[in-house]
Each structure stands twice: as structure tokens, then as C-alpha cells.
Amino acid sequence: MKGSVVAVAFFALGLLAGRFGVLPTWLAEGHLSTAALCVLMFAVAFGLGRDPSALGRAVRLNPRLALLPLATIVGTTAGSLALSACGRWAVTDWCAAGAGMGYYSLSSILLTEYRGAELGTLALMTNIVRELLALLAAPLWARWFGRLAPIAVAGATSMDTALPVCVRYAGRECAPLAVYHGFVTDASVFFLVTLFAG
């Protein structure tokens, strides 16, 4: 959990720096976050490249793991259905917000266009929280639900921002699975959000 606490601390520092204007604005306007993501992806790939047996273990993974994105989509929809009992929005609205699979920028834009800014904000917050839970609680997901849980919780982010965390707690051999999982869930976002919102 030490790594998660450090990540939360940096997130809080970023919020405070942005709120109080401590850092120059070009840091937020530039491509610093993209560069940081590229460095993370390079670090994961470098670690895989240094371990010649990692790719071999990935090839030997059970073919049924190809169904992991489907399980993530079904589980997310079931969770959205359960949460719909707690809120004032319709069941389809909750399902549309959850269907963002962590891809908060696309899902919030789509829902704002289809259903208005209020539901777009719900989608934004829902998917940001999902990504934060994937990044910060990955050790807990792996301990409580097995090594594939961090990948499933990450949703679409398992192929980019959450990839280093997924690799750390699911194992290096699961890196290709995490990228595949992220790609499939990412591709499902537009279809599922428009389906539920329409």
C-alpha cells in the first residue's frame, strides 16, 4: 500500500498546486501528462524486454482469459444496475455512466450531448473514481479477488494509465492481457454509452 499512498500524495499535491496557482500554467496546458504516460509505458515494456520468459508465459496464458473484457463489461453493468436503486436517475442513465469503463473523457462528452451536463458530470465523476480505485487500491483488489481483479477494475485504463499497476499486481506475463483488455473495453465505450443513453 506504500505505493498507493505515494500516488495519493502526489494527486493531492497536484490538486493543491492547481487550485492555488503555485506552478506555471504551461504545465497544465502542455503535453506533460502525455509524456509521463509514455515514460510509464516505456518502463513497463523495458521490464518485459528484460525478462525473456515473460512473453513466453503470456503466450501460455489460458485462452479463456480472452473473455475477461466481457466479464468486466457484464460486471460493470450489474454494478450500475445495483447503484440505480440508490439514485434519482433512470436505470439506463446509471448504466450509461458506468459504461464509460474508466474512459471518462469520451463517456462524459457523449452523455452531455445525449442527456445533458448533469448526467455528463455523473459519468465524469464515476469514471474518474473508477480509475483512482484501480490505481490506488490495486494491491487490495489482487489480495481479495485474485490477480486479474486489478485489470478488471481498471477497465479501459488497463492499457494505458493503469498498465504499470496491473503488471505489478497481476504479473508481467499479464501485460499483453491488460493491453488487450483495455483495447476491447475501450472500443465498447462508444457503443454501450450510446446504447444505454439512446
Side-chain angles (χ1 to χ4, degrees):
M1 292 296 291
K2 182 181 175 184
S4 297
V5 171
V6 170
V8 169
F10 274 99
F11 181 76
L13 281 173
L15 284 176
L16 293 172
R19 177 72 179 101
F20 296 110
V22 177
L23 299 173
T25 55
W26 62 265
L27 283 174
E29 295 167 358
H31 300 289
L32 188 63
S33 58
T34 304
L37 177 60
C38 290
V39 169
L40 283 172
M41 297 290 279
F42 176 82
V44 170
F46 181 75
L48 282 171
R50 287 193 59 200
D51 184 0
S53 63
L55 289 176
R57 289 194 307 269
V59 171
R60 290 191 300 272
L61 286 174
N62 191 325
R64 288 183 297 173
L65 293 178
L67 297 175
L68 182 61
L70 178 62
T72 298
I73 291 167
V74 169
T76 299
T77 305
S80 299
L81 287 170
L83 285 173
S84 68
C86 306
R88 60 189 175 93
W89 288 288
V91 172
T92 52
D93 293 341
W94 280 97
C95 289
M101 302 291 161
Y103 194 171
Y104 51 84
S105 56
L106 177 62
S107 60
S108 59
I109 290 169
L110 287 173
L111 276 176
T112 299
E113 288 179 7
Y114 282 107
R115 298 297 192 109
E118 192 175 18
L119 197 58
T121 303
L122 173 68
L124 177 69
M125 295 309 299
T126 300
N127 289 291
I128 286 176
V129 168
R130 180 180 187 147
E131 185 172 356
L132 286 174
L133 286 173
L135 292 170
L136 303 178
L140 298 177
W141 304 133
R143 184 180 309 145
W144 293 341
F145 302 107
R147 68 184 191 142
L148 298 181
I151 297 173
V153 171
T157 64
S158 68
M159 71 175 178
D160 46 54
T161 54
L163 181 60
V165 172
C166 291
V167 169
R168 181 172 181 183
Y169 294 102
R172 286 183 182 171
E173 67 275 11
C174 288
L177 174 64
V179 172
Y180 161 75
H181 176 270
F183 178 77
V184 173
T185 52
D186 193 342
S188 74
V189 171
F190 182 80
F191 171 73
L192 291 173
V193 171
T194 53
L195 175 69
F196 288 124

